[in-house]
Amino acid sequence: MKRTTVVVSACLVGKRCRYNGEHRAHAGVLRYLKGKKYVAVCPEKLAGWGVPRPPVEFSGGGAREAVAGQASVVDNRGRDRTASLLRGARRALRRALASQATEAILKEKSPSCGVRRVYREGRIVRGGGVFTFWLRRRGIAVRSEDSFSGRGATRS
Ligand code: SF4
């Protein structure tokens, strides 16, 4: 039987790529991935953003609107980061498609990787990130770490 590939947010498997320089290694996700083929990606690193970096959130809409040019992603100094976030998510999508992934496990609340909740204008609202949006449009099933039992993390 053909082995499937899982795309996973790099911070969930222990990469210190979060805005604050931490990771969010998740015991349940790591257990699930054991013995499976997976590709760890961080769309915001692929955007060329450093670590640490200012946190970002949606403004004026969510992923669908940001992709359509009707909303933006701004950092905590109010700078518009939409174009580079979209670029990073597009690069991450290309990696996911090249790996022929059929499923993804992404980090909740991020404007790139969020699955059911994201930060928008200082609040957590329902919605997904841009990478998630594009993966779903390509038919890739997406879940977040919330679907896996086990403590979230060995934060750095
Ligand atoms: S949530 Fe996504 S974009 Fe944010 S650090 Fe993790 S992998 Fe990178």
Side-chain angles (χ1 to χ4, degrees):
M1 202 170 77
K2 194 170 171 240
R3 286 174 80 200
T4 59
T5 302
V6 184
V7 173
V8 61
S9 292
C11 56
L12 289 176
V13 294
K15 304 287 182 212
R16 295 177 189 276
C17 51
R18 296 189 73 223
Y19 72 94
N20 57 5
E22 294 184 356
H23 61 74
R24 275 299 182 93
H26 189 283
V29 172
L30 290 167
R31 243 191 329 271
Y32 177 76
L33 293 174
K34 207 167 178 188
K36 292 189 173 67
K37 194 175 158 200
Y38 70 88
V39 177
V41 294
C42 173
E44 293 178 12
K45 287 277 282 179
L46 290 171
W49 297 0
V51 177
R53 58 183 175 274
V56 292
E57 63 173 10
F58 285 115
S59 175
R64 181 183 301 275
E65 291 79 19
V67 166
Q70 296 160 355
S72 49
V73 175
V74 295
D75 69 19
N76 61 353
R77 295 175 206 160
R79 293 179 302 193
D80 190 326
R81 309 303 309 273
T82 315
S84 58
L85 183 129
L86 294 181
R87 194 163 52 241
R90 212 173 282 120
R91 287 177 179 154
L93 176 69
R94 277 202 291 273
R95 289 198 184 181
L97 296 177
S99 74
Q100 299 189 313
T102 52
E103 63 174 304
I105 305 168
L106 303 184
K107 171 77 184 66
E108 203 59 274
K109 295 190 279 195
S110 151
S112 300
C113 297
V115 177
R116 299 176 70 176
R117 289 169 288 141
V118 288
Y119 280 100
R120 176 170 157 183
E121 289 141 19
R123 295 169 44 232
I124 296 173
V125 300
R126 285 179 63 156
V130 173
F131 182 37
T132 310
F133 177 75
W134 276 332
L135 286 173
R136 282 177 168 149
R137 281 226 306 216
R138 294 304 191 108
I140 296 175
V142 186
R143 291 182 282 175
S144 79
E145 74 278 18
D146 290 352
S147 297
F148 299 85
S149 59
R151 276 177 58 83
T154 27
R155 279 206 194 188
S156 59

